[in-house]
Amino acid sequence: MKSLGKHLLVDYYGCNSAVLNDPDLLEKHLKCAVMKSGATIIESTFRTFEPYGVSGIIIIAESHFAIHTWPEYNFASIDFFTCGVDVNPYYANSYLKTILLPEKIEIKEIARGIFSDRQFDNYHPSIHVDNTKEKKVV
Amino acid sequence: MKSLGKHLLVDYYGCNSAVLNDPDLLEKHLKCAVMKSGATIIESTFRTFEPYGVSGIIIIAESHFAIHTWPEYNFASIDFFTCGVDVNPYYANSYLKTILLPEKIEIKEIARGIFSDRQFDNYHPSIHVDNTKEKKVV
């Protein structure tokens, strides 16, 4: 079995709240995270909310990255959703955690679009699926 | 324990491939799905890819909805990520499946941002967390 996409759901607890409320910094660093993963930026949109919080989405050629922040909880939820074998969303996470400096990280890896080998063709390089994994890193 | 957000990861298999390659239709119906869930649209971005496929993201006041399609596999991956108690992402799914008519649906519900009751305050109405659920609906 193979999957079309690999989706990392990453929750950062205990971040620096000032960074979490700065859309320009978050956009800059999420774009850097895209590049670290080897993905290609198509379009980026970041919005702030009152009284706190930022939502940012980057459409990449390989699916999307997203971040939502709750500065009042020092919390950010981040999605690194990629397809293809030439990108590695874990590199994006490795970079972003050096910026947001979370005290605790929870990562779930979800395979998206699972097909048998024979259902695959040459249009999309596939990602080998081992399992849906759940990891906790403190 | 309570969570800040509820994230549904929904994979549709066996969809109508013509609809999956039509960004205008997909945007129209994903916006309808937002409204069905009770959420509020902030910004919407849809892009097409060569030779096939559409990526669409709608930032909502309550987080985001996203869709990525692989028409050549009759497949779509959809994210309904909401926060707050006034929205129900399952209503969005109930609507969208009547449009894309998948033969098989896989849904994973992931709680995002889990805190103890005492860590919550009045800024964000919380969602009660029962468990991380995995559901398969054929």
Side-chain angles (χ1 to χ4, degrees):
Chain A
M1 304 295 281
K2 296 175 183 174
S3 74
L4 292 173
K6 179 187 288 187
H7 193 161
L8 302 192
L9 290 85
V10 184
D11 284 353
Y12 284 179
Y13 295 83
C15 301
N16 178 320
S17 64
V19 177
L20 293 186
N21 213 29
D22 185 327
D24 296 333
L25 261 185
L26 290 172
E27 182 167 18
K28 170 187 166 188
H29 290 299
L30 198 62
K31 285 179 171 176
C32 286
V34 171
M35 289 185 284
K36 295 287 184 183
S37 75
T40 302
I41 295 169
I42 301 292
E43 191 161 340
S44 174
T45 303
F46 278 68
R47 301 292 290 256
T48 53
F49 294 92
E50 292 296 335
Y52 309 112
V54 174
S55 285
I57 306 270
I58 301 179
I59 293 182
I60 57 177
E62 302 83 1
S63 293
H64 74 266
F65 284 10
I67 186 167
H68 302 283
T69 72
W70 284 259
E72 67 276 35
Y73 293 104
N74 303 100
F75 175 77
S77 70
I78 302 144
D79 291 78
F80 301 115
F81 182 0
T82 63
C83 60
V85 294
D86 298 326
V87 293
N88 187 333
Y90 284 100
Y91 293 162
N93 181 58
S94 294
Y95 172 77
L96 202 59
K97 70 184 183 185
T98 68
I99 305 301
L100 297 183
L101 299 172
E103 294 169 355
K104 186 178 79 166
I105 301 175
E106 291 188 354
I107 301 180
K108 294 181 178 68
E109 180 184 324
I110 310 288
R112 306 293 301 264
I114 298 172
F115 292 89
S116 66
D117 289 5
R118 69 176 174 74
Q119 290 173 308
F120 269 77
D121 58 26
N122 293 323
Y123 288 119
H124 290 273
S126 58
I127 301 163
H128 284 275
V129 178
D130 45 2
N131 260 316
T132 294
K133 301 171 198 167
E134 183 162 338
K135 300 175 182 177
K136 292 194 178 185
V137 184
V138 177
Chain B
M1 304 294 281
K2 297 175 182 173
S3 74
L4 292 173
K6 181 187 287 187
H7 192 161
L8 301 192
L9 290 86
V10 184
D11 284 353
Y12 283 179
Y13 295 83
C15 301
N16 178 321
S17 64
V19 177
L20 294 185
N21 213 28
D22 186 326
D24 295 333
L25 261 185
L26 289 172
E27 183 167 18
K28 170 187 167 189
H29 290 298
L30 199 62
K31 285 180 171 176
C32 286
V34 171
M35 289 184 284
K36 294 287 183 183
S37 74
T40 302
I41 295 169
I42 300 292
E43 191 161 341
S44 174
T45 304
F46 278 69
R47 301 294 290 256
T48 54
F49 294 93
E50 292 298 334
Y52 309 112
V54 174
S55 285
I57 306 270
I58 301 178
I59 294 181
I60 56 177
E62 302 83 0
S63 293
H64 73 265
F65 284 10
I67 186 167
H68 302 283
T69 72
W70 284 259
E72 67 276 37
Y73 294 103
N74 304 99
F75 175 77
S77 70
I78 302 143
D79 291 78
F80 301 115
F81 182 0
T82 63
C83 60
V85 294
D86 297 327
V87 293
N88 188 333
Y90 284 100
Y91 293 163
N93 181 58
S94 295
Y95 173 77
L96 202 60
K97 70 184 183 187
T98 68
I99 304 301
L100 297 182
L101 299 171
E103 294 168 356
K104 187 177 79 167
I105 302 175
E106 291 187 356
I107 302 180
K108 294 181 177 70
E109 180 185 324
I110 310 287
R112 306 294 301 264
I114 299 171
F115 291 89
S116 65
D117 289 4
R118 69 177 173 74
Q119 290 173 307
F120 268 78
D121 58 27
N122 293 323
Y123 288 118
H124 289 273
S126 59
I127 299 163
H128 284 275
V129 178
D130 45 2
N131 261 316
T132 294
K133 301 170 198 166
E134 182 163 339
K135 299 175 182 176
K136 292 194 178 185
V137 184
V138 177

